[in-house]
């Protein structure tokens, strides 16, 4: 059920959309399966215009059968594996984030989801020299932290500035803006947003912050918005060959254990899901930068394998001989 | 097929900025000092403007005191490195005591008149006195969660007319939601909507938002821990979380969640002058209120 939206194809402008809605044609299916002569009479639009719109919509939304061999060839040529910059996470993810797929990071407050997202953005922008689209819905993106991470990887100021310029940030705070932004990106705005550079990663931090206020109770819109945003992300991932990383909160399940939020419907959307937790080894007074990541859904690795990593030393590059690098030394 | 990104731009101002532009904007924003140099150092300058910070603690540990201190600190003139901004104080518990604000303001004015060096700073001190400080605090008294949500709904219009506001304090956000709401799922939804509103206000109007939260007990493995109230999901609302707690007879401020600072803990205490470091040399000749006679919140 794809709703008709303005700008979906040339010729579908605001006035035509309104007259179609008045004639009770809301989705692409309604338009494609209706009698065009009837519709053109009701909406007083030319038959030719409707015919060409229908042809474009059919081309856009029909699934064409592909042979398995072709699919395999396409997979080999278009899929890339993007390292997260964190060797422990790469081990869990079977060497990294796969393009064309959605990967989800869930965890409680302070578990390190945003830090891992920063790490991925910095790695893709600096080491792979590709653009990153970062959609921030929580206000947690701090550019000075990105700069800190860049400074710990390279001491060249120009490289740092260039890497910062390759990270494009969208700041949205409600579900409708998120859906509209993702739809616009999916319909070709990806290249525009990145100013012509090739985008390899799209990070949404976090999806649950904007969607969960609309779920539950007597509201109907929440599920629909969630699925629309999910569809936009999936098609974006496939069509543009980008790796999509989203973050989610956690809720307490029945047995006292934590599980990712947004419910069962969302759980089918990401291909791979990782749960992040704090590791409390020392007594609660001491602060710890250790985090543990558990793989809870994957089509490539056995589930429930766990890895631990230190938020302080996420990057692969080892600068000093001893391997341990204190944070204040890295601050310039 | 060209697609205009204006459709994304028109909805809620979601425009793409590069991280480099964000960095420059952050440098311009500045931060609000807490007057405790150790806490300021741990926070890398002070409370960040444009982000939501949460202060949690048990009753009497100093949350409202810190909020009052911040309400005065945000008004420090530009020539001293301050933000010279106004503050909106939303009080839900009735803990805003005018006399106490007067004491804190007087102490800050005294401190800066002693350190004023050049002409510009001395000129600034002419207009920076107790009366002007009190006149730059907008106090809103909310009696229940409906009033609080309504005030926040009306806030963007108010902020458009008062562009000098740099700090919004909500003290406390837990009280109205714990007293009057029995339906927990409704409470969670309202709180999440509230959180997004606060983040949106902080980012769009370049304001530091400070919210205080109470503590609750959680039973886990037959042991009880004190955790911030309002549930797990509320923990995601704030960008930075500072936990004020007692360790024996010492008061400690711990940063438990932050995007750019490590988890650290610093010691502080509340004097007649306000929120201060422990063993601050400037205040060594000022009388400190012993802990037993400390004014209760």
């Amino acid at each position: 059920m794809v709703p008709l939206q303005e700008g979906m194809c040339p010729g579908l402008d605001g006035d035509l959309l309104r007259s179609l809605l008045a004639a009770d044609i809301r989705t692409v299916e309604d338009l494609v399966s209706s009698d065009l002569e009837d519709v053109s009479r009701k909406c007083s639009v030319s038959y030719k215009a409707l015919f060409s719109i229908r042809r474009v919509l059919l081309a856009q939304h029909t699934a064409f059968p592909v042979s398995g061999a072709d699919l395999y060839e396409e997979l080999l040529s278009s899929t890339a594996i993007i390292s997260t910059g964190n060797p422990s996470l790469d081990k869990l993810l079977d060497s990294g984030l796969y393009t064309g797929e959605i990967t989800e990071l869930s965890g409680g407050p302070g578990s390190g989801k945003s830090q891992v997202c920063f790490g991925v953005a910095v790695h893709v922008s600096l080491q792979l020299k590709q653009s990153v689209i970062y959609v921030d819905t929580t206000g947690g993106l701090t550019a000075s932290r990105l700069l800190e991470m860049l400074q710990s990887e390279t001491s060249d100021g120009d490289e740092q500035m260039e890497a910062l310029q390759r990270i494009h940030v969208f700041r949205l705070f409600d579900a409708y803006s998120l859906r509209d932004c993702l739809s616009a990106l999916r319909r070709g705005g990806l290249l525009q947003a990145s100013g012509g550079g090739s985008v390899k990663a799209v990070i949404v931090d976090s999806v649950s912050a904007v969607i969960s206020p609309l779920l539950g109770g007597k509201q109907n819109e929440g599920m629909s918005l969630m699925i629309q945003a999910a569809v936009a992300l999936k098609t974006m991932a496939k069509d543009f060959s980008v790796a999509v990383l989203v973050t989610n909160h956690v809720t307490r399940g029945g047995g006292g254990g934590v599980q990712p939020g947004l419910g069962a419907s969302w759980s089918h959307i990401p291909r791979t899901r990782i749960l992040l937790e704090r590791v409390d080894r020392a007594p609660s007074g001491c602060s710890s930068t250790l985090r543990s990541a558990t793989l809870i859904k994957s089509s490539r690795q056995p589930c429930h394998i766990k890895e631990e990593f230190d938020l302080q030393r996420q990057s692969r590059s080892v600068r000093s001989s001893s391997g341990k690098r204190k944070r204040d030394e890295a601050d310039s | 097929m060209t697609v205009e990104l204006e459709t994304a731009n028109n909805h809620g101002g979601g425009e793409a900025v590069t991280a480099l532009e964000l960095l420059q904007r952050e440098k311009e924003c500045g931060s609000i000092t807490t007057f405790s140099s150790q806490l300021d150092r741990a926070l890398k300058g002070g409370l960040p403007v444009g982000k939501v910070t949460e202060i949690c603690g048990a009753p009497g540990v100093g949350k409202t005191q810190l909020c009052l201190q911040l309400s005065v600190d945000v008004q420090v003139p530009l020539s001293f490195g301050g933000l010279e901004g106004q503050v909106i104080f939303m009080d839900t518990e009735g803990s805003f005591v005018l006399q106490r604000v007067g004491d804190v303001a007087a102490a800050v004015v005294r401190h800066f008149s002693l350190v004023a060096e050049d002409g510009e700073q001395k000129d600034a001190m002419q207009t920076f006195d107790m009366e002007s400080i009190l006149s730059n605090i907008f106090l809103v008294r909310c009696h229940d969660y409906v009033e609080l949500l309504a005030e926040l709904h009306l806030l963007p219009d108010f902020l458009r007319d008062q562009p000098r506001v740099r700090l919004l304090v909500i003290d406390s956000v837990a009280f109205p939601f714990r007293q009057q709401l029995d339906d927990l799922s409704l409470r969670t939804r309202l709180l999440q909507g509230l959180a997004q509103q606060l983040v949106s206000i902080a980012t769009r109007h370049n304001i530091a938002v400070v919210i205080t939260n109470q503590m609750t007990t959680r039973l886990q493995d037959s042991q009880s821990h004190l955790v911030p109230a309002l549930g797990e999901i509320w923990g995601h609302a704030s960008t930075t979380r500072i936990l004020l707690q007692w360790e024996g007879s010492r008061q400690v401020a711990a940063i438990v969640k932050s995007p750019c600072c490590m988890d650290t803990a610093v010691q502080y205490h509340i004097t007649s002058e306000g929120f201060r470091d422990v063993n601050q040399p400037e205040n060594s000749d000022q009388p400190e209120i012993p802990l037993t006679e400390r004014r209760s919140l």
Side-chain angles (χ1 to χ4, degrees), chain B residues 31-48 53 55 62 66 69-70 73 240-244 252-256 261-262 264-269 275-278 280:
Chain B
S31 44
I32 307 177
T33 168
T34 58
F35 248 82
S36 152
S37 54
Q38 286 184 8
L39 189 55
D40 284 345
R41 211 175 316 137
L43 286 169
K44 301 213 174 135
L47 247 64
T53 309
I55 303 176
L66 181 52
Q69 183 73 56
L70 291 167
D73 293 344
T240 312
R241 203 177 225 185
I242 304 177
L243 192 61
L244 303 181
V252 170
I255 303 176
V256 295
C261 317
M262 279 213 327
T264 40
V266 303
Q267 209 185 336
Y268 70 94
H269 65 324
F275 192 89
R276 294 287 186 274
D277 269 335
V278 172
Q280 211 180 19

Side-chain angles (χ1 to χ4, degrees), chain B residues 13-286:
Chain B
E15 44 176 40
V17 290
T18 63
L20 191 60
E21 288 162 32
L22 267 189
L23 184 67
Q24 281 154 358
R25 275 191 220 176
E26 273 176 30
K27 288 207 176 119
E28 289 164 24
C29 276
S31 44
I32 307 177
T33 168
T34 58
F35 248 82
S36 152
S37 54
Q38 286 184 8
L39 189 55
D40 284 345
R41 211 175 316 137
L43 286 169
K44 301 213 174 135
L47 247 64
V49 171
K51 307 258 184 238
V52 178
T53 309
E54 185 182 346
I55 303 176
C56 332
V61 75
K63 306 185 291 293
T64 306
Q65 297 299 310
L66 181 52
C67 291
L68 296 178
Q69 183 73 56
L70 291 167
S71 309
V72 176
D73 293 344
V74 73
Q75 302 183 41
V76 169
L78 290 164
S79 46
F80 288 102
L83 295 173
E84 215 167 298
Q86 297 173 319
V87 51
I88 302 178
F89 198 106
M90 290 195 177
D91 184 13
T92 60
E93 294 178 329
S95 50
F96 186 89
V97 175
L98 196 58
Q99 262 175 317
R100 185 65 182 141
V101 183
D103 291 345
V104 173
V108 169
V109 170
R110 249 196 328 269
H111 170 93
F112 281 111
S113 26
L114 288 176
V115 279
E117 290 170 343
D118 53 32
E120 206 191 326
Q121 290 182 341
K122 292 209 162 70
D123 287 333
M125 286 314 297
Q126 305 287 339
T127 47
F128 186 60
D129 57 4
M130 184 127 89
E131 279 213 14
S132 76
I133 293 180
L134 291 178
S135 67
N136 281 326
I137 302 180
F138 298 104
L139 178 65
V140 180
R141 182 86 175 84
C142 300
H143 298 93
D144 57 28
Y145 73 93
V146 177
E147 273 184 45
L148 179 62
L149 291 173
E151 282 294 343
L152 284 174
H153 193 71
L154 297 171
L155 206 54
D157 294 328
F158 182 79
L159 289 172
R160 224 169 290 143
D161 298 329
Q162 305 279 351
R164 279 182 56 207
V165 174
R166 288 273 90 80
L167 174 65
L168 168 68
V169 179
I170 305 184
D171 179 25
S172 66
V173 81
F175 183 71
F177 282 96
R178 291 176 94 188
Q179 302 290 99
Q180 293 134 8
L181 266 183
D182 288 326
D183 183 357
L184 280 184
S185 61
L186 175 63
R187 188 181 91 171
T188 311
R189 280 200 302 281
L190 287 176
L191 282 173
Q192 283 180 305
L194 176 75
Q196 286 306 109
Q197 252 184 314
L198 290 176
V199 173
S200 160
I201 289 175
T203 317
R204 294 233 175 85
H205 296 98
N206 203 22
I207 291 179
V209 177
V210 174
I211 41 187
T212 55
N213 194 4
Q214 298 168 345
M215 303 292 272
T216 183
T217 314
R218 177 152 48 131
L219 295 164
Q220 203 176 24
D221 310 325
S222 70
Q223 267 193 328
S224 67
H225 306 271
L226 265 188
V227 294
L230 298 180
E232 283 267 342
I233 297 194
W234 178 250
H236 295 271
S238 52
T239 317
T240 312
R241 203 177 225 185
I242 304 177
L243 192 61
L244 303 181
Q245 55 198 358
W246 288 98
E247 277 180 16
S249 59
R250 311 183 308 156
Q251 286 168 296
V252 170
I255 303 176
V256 295
K257 178 187 174 190
S258 165
C260 54
C261 317
M262 279 213 327
D263 293 356
T264 40
V266 303
Q267 209 185 336
Y268 70 94
H269 65 324
I270 314 284
T271 65
S272 59
E273 317 231 300
F275 192 89
R276 294 287 186 274
D277 269 335
V278 172
N279 300 328
Q280 211 180 19
E282 295 151 61
N283 287 346
S284 55
D285 45 337
Q286 302 293 335

Side-chain angles (χ1 to χ4, degrees), chain A residues 136-188:
Chain A
D136 181 26
T137 63
T138 57
L141 179 68
T142 317
S144 47
R145 175 71 181 128
L146 289 175
L147 184 64
E148 220 176 65
M149 289 174 131
L150 281 169
Q151 282 168 341
S152 70
E153 302 246 348
T154 168
S155 45
D156 181 354
D158 289 330
E159 259 188 52
Q160 292 164 9
M161 295 300 129
E162 267 174 33
L164 280 181
Q165 277 179 319
R166 283 192 278 261
I167 302 177
H168 303 268
V169 179
F170 284 87
R171 290 190 292 183
L172 320 154
F173 305 110
D174 65 284
Y176 298 93
S177 314
L178 179 67
R179 177 203 54 189
D180 293 335
C181 173
L182 291 177
S183 304
L185 283 177
R186 165 194 144 192
R187 264 179 275 137

